Amino acid sequence: MAAVNGVSSALDPSNAARSTLKLENTEKRDTLITIEKRYQKKWQDSGVFNAAAPTTAEIPAGSLSMDLHRRHPKYFGSFAFPYMNGTLHAGHSFTASKVEYTAGFARMQGKRVLFPLGFHCTGMPIKACADKLTEDVRKFGKNFENYKEEESAESEDVIPAPTQAETKEDITKFTSKKSKAAAKTVKLKYQFQIMLALGIPKDEIHKFADANYWLEYFPPLCKRDLNNFGARIDWRRSFVTTDANPYYDTFVRWQMHRLKELNKIQYGSRYTIYSPKDGQPCMDHDRTDGEGVAPQEYTALKLKVKEWAPGAAKVLQGKIPDSANVYFVPATLRPETMYGQTCCFVGPKITYGVFKVSESEYFVITKRAAWNMAFQDIFFKNGKFPRNANELMPTVELTGASVVGTLVHAPLSVHTEGVRILPMDTVSPSKGTGVVTSVPSDSPDDYATVTDLAKKAEYYGIKKEWAELEIVPIVETPSYGNLTAPFLVKKMKINSPKDTKLLADAKELAYKEGYYKGTMLVGDFKGEAVEAAKPKVKAQLLQNGAAFEYAEPNGHVVSRSADECVVAYLGQWFLNYGENDPAWRDQVLDYVKNDMETYSSETKNGFEKNLEWLNRWACARTYGLGSKLPWEPKFLVESLSDSTIYMAYYTIAHFLHSDIFGTQPGLLSIQPSQMIDEVWDCIFCRCEISESLLQSSGISKADLETMRREFQYWYPLDQRISGKDLIPNHLTFFLYIHTALFPREHWPRGVRANGHLMLNGEKMSKSTGNFLTLNDAITKYGADATRIALADAGDGVEDANFEETVANQIILRMYTLKEWCEDILQDTSLRTDISPSSTTLWDKLFLNEMHTLVHQAHAHYTATDYKVALKSALYDFTSTRDVYREACLAASTPMSLPLIRIYITLQALLITPIAPHWADYIYQEVLRFETTIQNARWPEVPQPDPSLAATYEYIRATSSAITSAEGQQVKRKNKGKATNYDLELPKRLTIYIATAFPSWQTKYIDLVKSFHAKASLEDKTLNAEVGRMGESKKAMPFVQSLKKRLQTGEDAENVFERKLPFEEVDVLGAMLRGLRKTVGKCRGVEVVGVEGEEEGKKVGRIVRSEGEDVGAVGEERALLGAAEMAVPGGPTFYFENV
């Protein structure tokens, strides 16, 4: 028991977050979390997120979906339901947050909103882990008291995680390294250790040996974490997959039946990734390594031995019948080039086996290749597969060096007398068969190698003539002639087989040119395009018995049971995706290209690329959890095949059951046995309600109409949000099955893919301690700070970054803002008069800027650009308040209480989609509204006034320019450089404004006017024209200012007549008191009007002044500094000591 207790200590789950930010002084955070808990309980108790379609009493049954949606707009969004082998981590919540923000905004638009969530349990991971725990309990006892602690200098348990693990804490695997927090390194060799490392109490671990316990344990934790996150989820519609829920089981069986009837599910023999240990196909979600890896098909040539090299002959003597045929078996992707074989390569340091195929036939290949072939009807016939390598032993083993010099017959080769086996150091034992046939006419690698062998024949221990057989032209190409490889090797100056990078580039060029543009020069298909001849040559080789088909994984694949996978050729049920049903594929491709919203070109391109290569997909297995295949119950429906259209199940789940297992009846008291296939057809609008259906199902017409209405209203799914790694499988399957089973009006409207989530700029990793679960994040920062930091993390398909310092700063920001809102409404010094005469310029500007930001935030939320929506709705909104507050303070004018109340109300509403807890607290407890902000509407405000917007921008730009200029002088002084005035003495600020525009601007006014008349203000064309007119340095800023004014909605007549939309003198007059306070040691400010148009003939007169040591209005002033550069709306300024 001491040993297992020691392991428990070493595997403390808090180690996973040891490198994350440490918080101190959490009083403000705790205050916000207390508020969050209060509002979460209110929302759950009131059922505010429980959604419903318009009843048949409101709108009669039979109404079209289009009419329903027009009269009652809706939003239905979802993300991939999480797999129940662990708790959610911060990356998973990043995907969920996108649905959250969209759902919150949709509610504010007056839409009915449905955001449901189920729990995925289908597949191998849970069952595999449960079986491992069963073995652990058998070995070590119920509480692992018989475990003897194992130590090592370094953990050996590093298991690569599949891509989907980026979005959750996956309990089926764990990566560990020695940390400062651990007294020693513990090998995570056993499943119970992984459970300890993830925080499962030791005395509960044995319960997980029952796979069903996982289904009971993890869904409540998922629900807890998302409720603590403030998710707007309708939990009534939740369920677990597999036959653990009999209602969902009938839905999956219906789906499989209908797909089979449509010939979308077929049976046949095909190549598939396969786990020998598990005895079944190993699909993407069954893997710990190799997601996305597929079978690579080759043509395996049979090169018959004519004469053995002496060393090999000696080893083989008496071990193989003299009458037997022995073949070296290279695997090629280019059978059409086999006419040009001049030799065959082996790796001299590789160990090969001579494997018996039959009494008269043996193959020379690597053990790895033989193991793959064992599952492809080569060594074992009639579908019999070996379970371990002991069932496939070589008759004899040979080193590659020992077979060098062996003479073999190469099928199709023009060298009919035979070719030699030669050494090649770069042959890989982990790819192909370890035997590589050589075609130096078309393969740069082969040409570089035979050239090297011929030069160094003595060094390699071969006869020079073996490497100098004639290189015959096989393929004619337009770019590289009829000897592609020699041409490219010479052109690219490749000097050795060791020039691997150049050879890889040359290989790609040669293959593309030869395949797409090449013409055959020899053989039965001479004169034909290579692309057309290739399958014909292959077929000829297979028919003549000179070759056979062979396949292997195109990458390393490890199953959840830690088994290295192979490719098997076996009979199986598969979904007929891809080229074998081109009409189905093209239907999906057309929808992606022309109708479906993908939110980014990267996502659309990802779908298009995937649809071009995706092929048949095995949809059944024998091991794991799931629903049984209806027509062959020994099989289970595969995990990526039972999770394609479950969004349709969400629409009616609450009518069927009230718990996730379907043990308690739902709103309509329907039994699982009543959910026959025809009922599902009826619900999903595939057939009408008939008398025979009512009798066979026992469900009333009213109940069928109710369920049908719910589906008809909520479908189609408006938005599917998922990680970009699911485009190659789940998301593409999701589109395929929707298009097969539903009419076009019910196909998904949009798919939004996001990148993975980094933490503090680095990949999340338990081993480095840079890891947070969702529960960790919420406990540490609270729900709203976590949600805001997730919104700030990013929106595109590139990886986003959750920055803990941002989350920590948000705590202070939201707490301070809450305190200010509470206090300011109690401030009796605020102005309460709302009459026009009491309204100041600052009041008007503040209100107008709020209106601007309301419209900006609306546009960003609509576009699902949440990072910039957050900027408008929170950061810019509070900055506008700060400007107003400082302006009123500088003008010695109290702020307006009615305006402040408008500000607080708008601030709460604008941030509601992202930070609903804070918003609802302000809305109900500070502003004293009687209902939750979750039901509030987006604020309707007037369009911003362009003249006020221009005034605001003028004030901002002028203030910024003045403070920046002063700052530059400070920097000069700090660097020991001369300044324009003494920073330590009092000074006066003079602002120069022009009363007339310079004459040179007229032609640029005319230019912009002509472009505007053509409704074309495109930068590239306009800027080029400005450049041709020869004064771009001063003209370009002027042209851009005109363009900006037009684009912000300012009246074109005012712009082209060069009328400012505000009185510049009056605006500066309102700014003077504030500027005097802002500028250091400023005794006074003068505004000097510059009169006249011609340079050198301008005069200045004071038009406004404030403070001491200033002149009177009307007094003439000398024009100093950049005074003559001032233009209307573009003041210049000058500092001088007084």
Side-chain angles (χ1 to χ4, degrees), residues 67-98:
D67 187 48
L68 283 171
H69 299 156
R70 180 182 57 80
R71 295 173 63 180
H72 297 281
K74 61 91 181 179
Y75 167 78
F76 177 16
S78 72
F79 70 101
F81 50 16
Y83 196 77
M84 289 296 100
N85 61 344
T87 55
L88 306 184
H89 90 22
H92 207 160
S93 61
F94 177 62
T95 301
S97 71
K98 304 304 181 186

mmCIF file of all heavy atoms in Angstrom, residues 67-98:
data_model
loop_
_atom_site.group_PDB
_atom_site.id
_atom_site.type_symbol
_atom_site.label_atom_id
_atom_site.label_comp_id
_atom_site.label_asym_id
_atom_site.label_seq_id
_atom_site.Cartn_x
_atom_site.Cartn_y
_atom_site.Cartn_z
ATOM 1 N N ASP A 67 -41.696 29.526 -43.609
ATOM 2 C CA ASP A 67 -42.681 30.395 -42.968
ATOM 3 C C ASP A 67 -42.451 30.452 -41.466
ATOM 4 O O ASP A 67 -42.557 31.516 -40.843
ATOM 5 C CB ASP A 67 -44.094 29.894 -43.278
ATOM 6 C CG ASP A 67 -45.164 30.855 -42.770
ATOM 7 O OD1 ASP A 67 -45.032 32.069 -43.032
ATOM 8 O OD2 ASP A 67 -46.107 30.389 -42.107
ATOM 9 N N LEU A 68 -42.128 29.302 -40.877
ATOM 10 C CA LEU A 68 -41.823 29.260 -39.442
ATOM 11 C C LEU A 68 -40.658 30.185 -39.111
ATOM 12 O O LEU A 68 -40.707 30.957 -38.156
ATOM 13 C CB LEU A 68 -41.476 27.832 -39.023
ATOM 14 C CG LEU A 68 -42.615 26.834 -38.851
ATOM 15 C CD1 LEU A 68 -42.044 25.431 -38.662
ATOM 16 C CD2 LEU A 68 -43.470 27.203 -37.650
ATOM 17 N N HIS A 69 -39.607 30.082 -39.902
ATOM 18 C CA HIS A 69 -38.400 30.855 -39.623
ATOM 19 C C HIS A 69 -38.603 32.344 -39.889
ATOM 20 O O HIS A 69 -37.988 33.186 -39.225
ATOM 21 C CB HIS A 69 -37.237 30.322 -40.462
ATOM 22 C CG HIS A 69 -36.903 28.893 -40.167
ATOM 23 N ND1 HIS A 69 -36.271 28.067 -41.078
ATOM 24 C CD2 HIS A 69 -37.130 28.136 -39.069
ATOM 25 C CE1 HIS A 69 -36.117 26.871 -40.545
ATOM 26 N NE2 HIS A 69 -36.635 26.887 -39.324
ATOM 27 N N ARG A 70 -39.443 32.662 -40.839
ATOM 28 C CA ARG A 70 -39.726 34.077 -41.116
ATOM 29 C C ARG A 70 -40.488 34.703 -39.956
ATOM 30 O O ARG A 70 -40.179 35.823 -39.534
ATOM 31 C CB ARG A 70 -40.523 34.199 -42.412
ATOM 32 C CG ARG A 70 -40.881 35.634 -42.801
ATOM 33 C CD ARG A 70 -41.700 35.682 -44.069
ATOM 34 N NE ARG A 70 -42.919 34.883 -43.964
ATOM 35 C CZ ARG A 70 -44.024 35.310 -43.337
ATOM 36 N NH1 ARG A 70 -44.050 36.498 -42.762
ATOM 37 N NH2 ARG A 70 -45.095 34.538 -43.289
ATOM 38 N N ARG A 71 -41.467 33.989 -39.441
ATOM 39 C CA ARG A 71 -42.286 34.546 -38.361
ATOM 40 C C ARG A 71 -41.601 34.467 -37.003
ATOM 41 O O ARG A 71 -41.830 35.302 -36.139
ATOM 42 C CB ARG A 71 -43.629 33.808 -38.321
ATOM 43 C CG ARG A 71 -44.462 34.040 -39.576
ATOM 44 C CD ARG A 71 -45.707 33.181 -39.616
ATOM 45 N NE ARG A 71 -46.624 33.473 -38.522
ATOM 46 C CZ ARG A 71 -47.792 32.855 -38.343
ATOM 47 N NH1 ARG A 71 -48.179 31.908 -39.205
ATOM 48 N NH2 ARG A 71 -48.583 33.170 -37.326
ATOM 49 N N HIS A 72 -40.763 33.450 -36.838
ATOM 50 C CA HIS A 72 -40.058 33.264 -35.563
ATOM 51 C C HIS A 72 -38.599 32.926 -35.856
ATOM 52 O O HIS A 72 -38.237 31.748 -35.917
ATOM 53 C CB HIS A 72 -40.709 32.147 -34.741
ATOM 54 C CG HIS A 72 -42.123 32.411 -34.340
ATOM 55 N ND1 HIS A 72 -42.465 33.224 -33.282
ATOM 56 C CD2 HIS A 72 -43.285 31.988 -34.901
ATOM 57 C CE1 HIS A 72 -43.782 33.282 -33.178
ATOM 58 N NE2 HIS A 72 -44.302 32.544 -34.149
ATOM 59 N N PRO A 73 -37.744 33.927 -36.047
ATOM 60 C CA PRO A 73 -36.327 33.665 -36.354
ATOM 61 C C PRO A 73 -35.678 32.808 -35.268
ATOM 62 O O PRO A 73 -36.034 32.893 -34.085
ATOM 63 C CB PRO A 73 -35.711 35.066 -36.394
ATOM 64 C CG PRO A 73 -36.861 35.984 -36.656
ATOM 65 C CD PRO A 73 -38.047 35.369 -35.985
ATOM 66 N N LYS A 74 -34.717 31.987 -35.677
ATOM 67 C CA LYS A 74 -34.089 31.073 -34.717
ATOM 68 C C LYS A 74 -32.595 30.951 -34.993
ATOM 69 O O LYS A 74 -32.094 31.273 -36.072
ATOM 70 C CB LYS A 74 -34.760 29.700 -34.786
ATOM 71 C CG LYS A 74 -34.683 28.988 -36.144
ATOM 72 C CD LYS A 74 -33.468 28.083 -36.305
ATOM 73 C CE LYS A 74 -33.409 27.404 -37.661
ATOM 74 N NZ LYS A 74 -32.222 26.543 -37.836
ATOM 75 N N TYR A 75 -31.875 30.446 -33.988
ATOM 76 C CA TYR A 75 -30.477 30.075 -34.132
ATOM 77 C C TYR A 75 -30.286 28.728 -33.454
ATOM 78 O O TYR A 75 -30.657 28.539 -32.296
ATOM 79 C CB TYR A 75 -29.538 31.103 -33.483
ATOM 80 C CG TYR A 75 -28.115 30.595 -33.328
ATOM 81 C CD1 TYR A 75 -27.247 30.571 -34.414
ATOM 82 C CD2 TYR A 75 -27.648 30.119 -32.105
ATOM 83 C CE1 TYR A 75 -25.940 30.090 -34.286
ATOM 84 C CE2 TYR A 75 -26.349 29.633 -31.964
ATOM 85 C CZ TYR A 75 -25.512 29.619 -33.050
ATOM 86 O OH TYR A 75 -24.226 29.132 -32.917
ATOM 87 N N PHE A 76 -29.722 27.770 -34.187
ATOM 88 C CA PHE A 76 -29.407 26.448 -33.665
ATOM 89 C C PHE A 76 -27.926 26.224 -33.916
ATOM 90 O O PHE A 76 -27.478 26.130 -35.059
ATOM 91 C CB PHE A 76 -30.265 25.404 -34.376
ATOM 92 C CG PHE A 76 -29.996 23.958 -33.989
ATOM 93 C CD1 PHE A 76 -29.289 23.616 -32.842
ATOM 94 C CD2 PHE A 76 -30.469 22.920 -34.794
ATOM 95 C CE1 PHE A 76 -29.057 22.300 -32.498
ATOM 96 C CE2 PHE A 76 -30.239 21.595 -34.464
ATOM 97 C CZ PHE A 76 -29.528 21.281 -33.312
ATOM 98 N N GLY A 77 -27.145 26.181 -32.835
ATOM 99 C CA GLY A 77 -25.704 25.994 -32.953
ATOM 100 C C GLY A 77 -25.226 24.842 -32.101
ATOM 101 O O GLY A 77 -25.838 24.502 -31.082
ATOM 102 N N SER A 78 -24.128 24.234 -32.501
ATOM 103 C CA SER A 78 -23.570 23.126 -31.721
ATOM 104 C C SER A 78 -22.079 23.010 -31.977
ATOM 105 O O SER A 78 -21.555 23.525 -32.957
ATOM 106 C CB SER A 78 -24.262 21.804 -32.087
ATOM 107 O OG SER A 78 -23.861 21.364 -33.373
ATOM 108 N N PHE A 79 -21.405 22.320 -31.059
ATOM 109 C CA PHE A 79 -20.024 21.919 -31.296
ATOM 110 C C PHE A 79 -19.935 20.419 -31.029
ATOM 111 O O PHE A 79 -20.871 19.818 -30.493
ATOM 112 C CB PHE A 79 -19.044 22.719 -30.430
ATOM 113 C CG PHE A 79 -19.082 22.406 -28.959
ATOM 114 C CD1 PHE A 79 -18.120 21.594 -28.376
ATOM 115 C CD2 PHE A 79 -20.070 22.948 -28.135
ATOM 116 C CE1 PHE A 79 -18.144 21.320 -27.017
ATOM 117 C CE2 PHE A 79 -20.093 22.681 -26.784
ATOM 118 C CZ PHE A 79 -19.130 21.859 -26.212
ATOM 119 N N ALA A 80 -18.846 19.805 -31.443
ATOM 120 C CA ALA A 80 -18.713 18.353 -31.347
ATOM 121 C C ALA A 80 -18.861 17.887 -29.910
ATOM 122 O O ALA A 80 -18.143 18.354 -29.023
ATOM 123 C CB ALA A 80 -17.359 17.922 -31.905
ATOM 124 N N PHE A 81 -19.811 16.955 -29.673
ATOM 125 C CA PHE A 81 -20.005 16.526 -28.287
ATOM 126 C C PHE A 81 -18.740 15.862 -27.772
ATOM 127 O O PHE A 81 -18.070 15.116 -28.475
ATOM 128 C CB PHE A 81 -21.248 15.679 -28.084
ATOM 129 C CG PHE A 81 -21.485 14.507 -28.996
ATOM 130 C CD1 PHE A 81 -20.497 13.959 -29.792
ATOM 131 C CD2 PHE A 81 -22.747 13.920 -29.039
ATOM 132 C CE1 PHE A 81 -20.736 12.866 -30.612
ATOM 133 C CE2 PHE A 81 -22.995 12.824 -29.854
ATOM 134 C CZ PHE A 81 -21.978 12.298 -30.638
ATOM 135 N N PRO A 82 -18.366 16.148 -26.531
ATOM 136 C CA PRO A 82 -17.089 15.677 -25.989
ATOM 137 C C PRO A 82 -17.124 14.182 -25.686
ATOM 138 O O PRO A 82 -18.168 13.621 -25.342
ATOM 139 C CB PRO A 82 -16.927 16.489 -24.701
ATOM 140 C CG PRO A 82 -18.320 16.845 -24.300
ATOM 141 C CD PRO A 82 -19.094 17.011 -25.572
ATOM 142 N N TYR A 83 -15.970 13.553 -25.817
ATOM 143 C CA TYR A 83 -15.852 12.132 -25.525
ATOM 144 C C TYR A 83 -15.682 11.952 -24.024
ATOM 145 O O TYR A 83 -14.902 12.651 -23.380
ATOM 146 C CB TYR A 83 -14.673 11.526 -26.283
ATOM 147 C CG TYR A 83 -14.743 10.019 -26.333
ATOM 148 C CD1 TYR A 83 -15.613 9.391 -27.216
ATOM 149 C CD2 TYR A 83 -13.984 9.240 -25.480
ATOM 150 C CE1 TYR A 83 -15.713 8.011 -27.250
ATOM 151 C CE2 TYR A 83 -14.070 7.870 -25.511
ATOM 152 C CZ TYR A 83 -14.939 7.250 -26.392
ATOM 153 O OH TYR A 83 -15.041 5.883 -26.408
ATOM 154 N N MET A 84 -16.412 10.987 -23.469
ATOM 155 C CA MET A 84 -16.494 10.859 -22.022
ATOM 156 C C MET A 84 -15.411 9.957 -21.429
ATOM 157 O O MET A 84 -15.678 9.034 -20.666
ATOM 158 C CB MET A 84 -17.887 10.355 -21.639
ATOM 159 C CG MET A 84 -18.967 11.400 -21.835
ATOM 160 S SD MET A 84 -18.749 12.858 -20.756
ATOM 161 C CE MET A 84 -17.997 14.033 -21.863
ATOM 162 N N ASN A 85 -14.163 10.244 -21.778
ATOM 163 C CA ASN A 85 -13.043 9.561 -21.130
ATOM 164 C C ASN A 85 -12.173 10.545 -20.366
ATOM 165 O O ASN A 85 -11.012 10.311 -20.104
ATOM 166 C CB ASN A 85 -12.210 8.803 -22.157
ATOM 167 C CG ASN A 85 -11.609 9.714 -23.206
ATOM 168 O OD1 ASN A 85 -12.024 10.861 -23.357
ATOM 169 N ND2 ASN A 85 -10.638 9.210 -23.947
ATOM 170 N N GLY A 86 -12.732 11.696 -20.026
ATOM 171 C CA GLY A 86 -11.996 12.687 -19.263
ATOM 172 C C GLY A 86 -12.803 13.956 -19.112
ATOM 173 O O GLY A 86 -13.934 14.047 -19.599
ATOM 174 N N THR A 87 -12.222 14.923 -18.419
ATOM 175 C CA THR A 87 -12.883 16.211 -18.242
ATOM 176 C C THR A 87 -12.448 17.173 -19.344
ATOM 177 O O THR A 87 -11.409 16.980 -19.976
ATOM 178 C CB THR A 87 -12.528 16.810 -16.869
ATOM 179 O OG1 THR A 87 -11.107 16.897 -16.744
ATOM 180 C CG2 THR A 87 -13.075 15.943 -15.744
ATOM 181 N N LEU A 88 -13.245 18.206 -19.562
ATOM 182 C CA LEU A 88 -12.920 19.189 -20.602
ATOM 183 C C LEU A 88 -11.709 20.005 -20.191
ATOM 184 O O LEU A 88 -11.511 20.294 -19.021
ATOM 185 C CB LEU A 88 -14.107 20.134 -20.814
ATOM 186 C CG LEU A 88 -15.460 19.494 -21.121
ATOM 187 C CD1 LEU A 88 -16.485 20.583 -21.397
ATOM 188 C CD2 LEU A 88 -15.360 18.549 -22.289
ATOM 189 N N HIS A 89 -10.906 20.371 -21.189
ATOM 190 C CA HIS A 89 -9.823 21.295 -20.851
ATOM 191 C C HIS A 89 -10.035 22.622 -21.559
ATOM 192 O O HIS A 89 -11.008 22.814 -22.289
ATOM 193 C CB HIS A 89 -8.454 20.641 -21.043
ATOM 194 C CG HIS A 89 -7.787 20.757 -22.373
ATOM 195 N ND1 HIS A 89 -8.053 21.720 -23.318
ATOM 196 C CD2 HIS A 89 -6.777 20.006 -22.898
ATOM 197 C CE1 HIS A 89 -7.247 21.577 -24.353
ATOM 198 N NE2 HIS A 89 -6.485 20.531 -24.132
ATOM 199 N N ALA A 90 -9.163 23.576 -21.294
ATOM 200 C CA ALA A 90 -9.382 24.944 -21.764
ATOM 201 C C ALA A 90 -9.518 25.009 -23.283
ATOM 202 O O ALA A 90 -10.250 25.850 -23.805
ATOM 203 C CB ALA A 90 -8.232 25.843 -21.292
ATOM 204 N N GLY A 91 -8.833 24.118 -23.995
ATOM 205 C CA GLY A 91 -8.954 24.111 -25.448
ATOM 206 C C GLY A 91 -10.342 23.736 -25.915
ATOM 207 O O GLY A 91 -10.844 24.276 -26.897
ATOM 208 N N HIS A 92 -10.972 22.805 -25.199
ATOM 209 C CA HIS A 92 -12.337 22.418 -25.555
ATOM 210 C C HIS A 92 -13.289 23.595 -25.333
ATOM 211 O O HIS A 92 -14.197 23.841 -26.139
ATOM 212 C CB HIS A 92 -12.767 21.216 -24.713
ATOM 213 C CG HIS A 92 -13.796 20.373 -25.383
ATOM 214 N ND1 HIS A 92 -14.024 19.071 -25.022
ATOM 215 C CD2 HIS A 92 -14.656 20.630 -26.388
ATOM 216 C CE1 HIS A 92 -14.983 18.566 -25.779
ATOM 217 N NE2 HIS A 92 -15.384 19.495 -26.616
ATOM 218 N N SER A 93 -13.078 24.324 -24.253
ATOM 219 C CA SER A 93 -13.954 25.458 -23.967
ATOM 220 C C SER A 93 -13.775 26.569 -24.995
ATOM 221 O O SER A 93 -14.685 27.374 -25.213
ATOM 222 C CB SER A 93 -13.688 26.005 -22.556
ATOM 223 O OG SER A 93 -12.353 26.459 -22.434
ATOM 224 N N PHE A 94 -12.611 26.624 -25.653
ATOM 225 C CA PHE A 94 -12.393 27.622 -26.703
ATOM 226 C C PHE A 94 -13.376 27.399 -27.851
ATOM 227 O O PHE A 94 -13.992 28.340 -28.353
ATOM 228 C CB PHE A 94 -10.947 27.534 -27.199
ATOM 229 C CG PHE A 94 -10.631 28.472 -28.331
ATOM 230 C CD1 PHE A 94 -10.716 29.840 -28.159
ATOM 231 C CD2 PHE A 94 -10.236 27.981 -29.564
ATOM 232 C CE1 PHE A 94 -10.412 30.713 -29.198
ATOM 233 C CE2 PHE A 94 -9.934 28.837 -30.609
ATOM 234 C CZ PHE A 94 -10.018 30.207 -30.420
ATOM 235 N N THR A 95 -13.534 26.137 -28.260
ATOM 236 C CA THR A 95 -14.508 25.822 -29.304
ATOM 237 C C THR A 95 -15.924 26.095 -28.816
ATOM 238 O O THR A 95 -16.738 26.694 -29.521
ATOM 239 C CB THR A 95 -14.365 24.355 -29.742
ATOM 240 O OG1 THR A 95 -13.042 24.137 -30.234
ATOM 241 C CG2 THR A 95 -15.358 24.005 -30.830
ATOM 242 N N ALA A 96 -16.226 25.656 -27.582
ATOM 243 C CA ALA A 96 -17.565 25.881 -27.024
ATOM 244 C C ALA A 96 -17.883 27.363 -26.933
ATOM 245 O O ALA A 96 -19.033 27.780 -27.129
ATOM 246 C CB ALA A 96 -17.670 25.231 -25.649
ATOM 247 N N SER A 97 -16.873 28.185 -26.648
ATOM 248 C CA SER A 97 -17.115 29.620 -26.468
ATOM 249 C C SER A 97 -17.650 30.274 -27.730
ATOM 250 O O SER A 97 -18.418 31.238 -27.667
ATOM 251 C CB SER A 97 -15.831 30.322 -26.015
ATOM 252 O OG SER A 97 -14.875 30.401 -27.062
ATOM 253 N N LYS A 98 -17.250 29.756 -28.902
ATOM 254 C CA LYS A 98 -17.725 30.358 -30.145
ATOM 255 C C LYS A 98 -19.237 30.163 -30.302
ATOM 256 O O LYS A 98 -19.938 31.061 -30.786
ATOM 257 C CB LYS A 98 -16.993 29.750 -31.347
ATOM 258 C CG LYS A 98 -15.476 29.850 -31.275
ATOM 259 C CD LYS A 98 -14.988 31.275 -31.107
ATOM 260 C CE LYS A 98 -13.484 31.335 -31.076
ATOM 261 N NZ LYS A 98 -12.962 32.683 -30.762
#
